Amino acid sequence: MADRWLALEHGADPAERIAQVGAAYETFLREGTAPDPVREVVARSWRRAVGARLDPETMPPVELTDDALDSYRASHPLARVLPLFRDLLGSVAEDGAHLMAVCDAYGRLLWVEGHPGVLRRAEQMNFVPGARWDETHAGTNAPGTALAVDHGVQIFATEHFSRPVQRWTCAAAPIHDPLSGRLLGAVDITGGDQLANPQSLALVRATARAAEAYLAGPVDPDVLMVGALGRDEAELRIAGRRVRLGRRHSELLVLLLDHPEGRTGEQLGLDLYGDDRVHPVTLRAELSRLRRILGPELLDSRPYRLRGTVRADFRTVLDRLELGDPAGALGAYPGPLLPGSDAPGVARLRRLVDGQLRAAVLAGADPALLAAWTATPTGADDLAAWEALARALPPGAPRRPLAVARVRQLTQEYAVPRATFSQRPGN
């Protein structure tokens, strides 16, 4: 096949393909092997679903509803692009056979639009706003798999892991923040077998690229953009170049960003190594290599400091918190700052960013923000946040049983007395 992300080869019979893949799917469930003609991207996704202990009959949970959903959608970066999605995919979503959907980076559907009759059918499998369609909760599907592999993909009929979804075919492509490169979500079209064609995949890919261009807006080529959250090695963009730095250069750049007034070599040595045993020549050599990467006009010495306009994703988080906008801060936060770094200065800054963001989210007691925080790598094991989420959700909310179950699990793991949560009123 010319494009491994397409579901059908040119001239293939859809009905025959459905039967062949369906038989392979049943073999996989029985024996754990995925024989031909299953595509490798699908086979790997099936294995991830089994690894997540997903029931083939399951339907994704609905995590956000009503005011919590409205609040979360309004604060999400992709809300700005919704008119563009409607403009480019509106005719597809209104033709009576297809749906347009947009999800966040965690697979939560933000918008699902289309003909009312198709929407009603989709509701039967919880393909609705607020539902969690990442692979862990929904198995193989176009938006969830596109997020997992960070690539546009088609998923055709019986390629879906969840049996209730196997009547549908979908195509989706991921969308990235044009400045930091972090994953924002995905755009999807869902419908019948007729979607298994090159045009549908090309359409969502083009829509995703148009969304990224829209979000970028006019970019000053002299501005240095730095992404260091949720990654062990920083990425910088300048003058149309995208450069991935090594670990030590990433740490140096972050430390210089945190001290715009500049740092001496001795101060940088303490920030990097925690003592002054490193030979100054070693540090000067690292800074010299960093200067060659950035350009001599961007890095001063005596003291060492950055020149020009520099924007960093972790600074965006802190700036949004200063403005009293925890939703905007959380929307700009994909994960901890250089999580693999043990440099003392970086570790302090990482604790500062995480601590301030966590405090703002907990103080607001907003279910949407608490749900978003607990979906981040930092918040996934945050017992206090899960407790706050369980308290903030009203009885009967779809997300509440999941939150309560997670509280119990973490309480056992942390050996916390059970009474801390279970004896509170309303739990």
Side-chain angles (χ1 to χ4, degrees):
M1 185 180 295
D3 189 340
R4 62 194 176 101
W5 306 103
L6 287 171
L8 292 182
E9 296 178 359
H10 179 69
D13 181 350
E16 181 179 352
R17 178 75 174 183
I18 288 172
Q20 291 173 340
V21 176
Y25 171 79
E26 297 301 332
T27 299
F28 173 80
L29 293 182
R30 289 194 311 270
E31 303 174 9
T33 59
D36 289 338
V38 180
R39 291 182 291 157
E40 184 59 26
V41 64
V42 173
R44 289 179 178 177
S45 178
W46 286 356
R47 288 192 283 270
R48 288 193 293 270
V50 169
R53 301 182 181 276
L54 197 66
D55 184 341
E57 303 298 335
T58 194
M59 289 195 297
V62 179
E63 294 189 344
L64 296 173
T65 58
D66 303 326
D67 291 344
L69 174 62
D70 291 341
S71 173
Y72 184 68
R73 288 194 296 199
S75 66
H76 197 276
L78 291 180
R80 292 174 49 203
V81 199
L82 185 57
L84 177 68
F85 293 140
R86 288 170 173 161
D87 184 45
L88 296 177
L89 300 178
S91 60
V92 174
E94 294 170 2
D95 66 358
H98 303 96
L99 298 174
M100 175 198 78
V102 181
C103 69
D104 69 5
Y106 308 109
R108 281 184 295 246
L109 296 180
L110 302 175
W111 297 276
V112 181
E113 299 184 357
H115 189 276
V118 188
L119 287 170
R120 284 193 294 272
R121 287 173 49 213
E123 287 175 1
Q124 297 173 11
M125 61 175 182
N126 278 359
F127 197 76
V128 296
R132 185 81 176 268
W133 277 76
D134 63 328
E135 285 190 339
T136 300
H137 295 84
T140 309
N141 69 93
T145 302
L147 295 175
V149 301
D150 200 12
H151 199 285
V153 65
Q154 256 177 11
I155 299 296
F156 173 66
T158 43
E159 290 182 332
H160 288 90
F161 184 81
S162 175
R163 286 196 178 99
V165 190
Q166 291 182 346
R167 293 174 298 168
W168 299 80
T169 291
C170 43
I175 303 168
H176 300 85
D177 184 300
L179 301 182
S180 68
R182 75 182 179 92
L183 188 63
L184 295 177
V187 60
D188 165 87
I189 51 176
T190 290
D193 299 345
Q194 67 273 25
L195 276 181
N197 61 66
Q199 290 73 31
S200 67
L201 184 56
L203 179 59
V204 293
R205 283 172 169 167
T207 302
R209 300 296 81 76
E212 291 172 350
Y214 181 89
L215 289 169
V219 178
D220 186 340
D222 294 327
V223 174
L224 176 66
M225 307 288 186
V226 179
L229 291 175
R231 57 174 74 222
D232 288 325
E233 296 178 329
E235 180 181 87
L236 60 88
R237 299 185 183 194
I238 185 168
R241 293 185 298 137
R242 179 185 295 186
V243 181
R244 183 173 179 177
L245 300 179
R247 175 177 169 179
R248 189 61 74 200
H249 290 157
S250 299
E251 293 168 337
L252 280 168
L253 184 59
V254 163
L255 291 169
L256 291 169
L257 283 164
D258 191 43
H259 295 279
E261 75 284 359
R263 300 292 269 172
T264 66
E266 182 180 6
Q267 288 172 324
L268 281 174
L270 290 170
D271 286 339
L272 281 174
Y273 305 103
D275 55 44
D276 57 359
R277 287 177 297 175
V278 62
H279 198 283
V281 174
T282 303
L283 185 59
R284 284 200 298 269
E286 293 287 3
L287 286 162
S288 178
R289 284 190 283 268
L290 179 61
R291 180 181 284 108
R292 287 198 295 270
I293 294 171
L294 298 177
E297 70 282 358
L298 290 180
L299 181 57
D300 269 341
S301 57
R302 299 180 183 177
Y304 294 104
R305 60 183 174 186
L306 296 170
R307 288 191 293 182
T309 304
V310 185
R311 296 177 184 169
D313 52 3
F314 70 90
R315 292 301 325 169
T316 299
V317 172
L318 293 174
D319 290 345
R320 298 313 304 176
L321 290 174
E322 260 189 56
L323 293 171
D325 179 17
L330 191 54
Y333 177 85
L337 175 69
L338 299 181
S341 172
D342 57 4
V346 174
R348 283 193 299 271
L349 183 56
R350 182 168 58 234
R351 290 192 296 271
L352 173 70
V353 175
D354 290 349
Q356 290 192 4
L357 180 57
R358 177 180 184 268
V361 171
L362 289 176
D366 182 327
L369 296 185
L370 288 164
W373 171 251
T374 55
T376 67
T378 310
D381 298 324
D382 188 338
L383 175 57
W386 282 105
E387 288 182 325
L389 177 59
R391 288 194 299 270
L393 292 169
R399 173 77 177 171
R400 193 172 187 278
L402 299 175
V404 172
R406 184 63 174 150
V407 167
R408 290 172 178 159
Q409 180 184 22
L410 290 174
T411 297
Q412 292 176 352
E413 290 180 8
Y414 298 155
V416 176
R418 298 178 67 89
T420 58
F421 177 75
S422 60
Q423 290 184 0
R424 291 181 178 133
N427 294 306

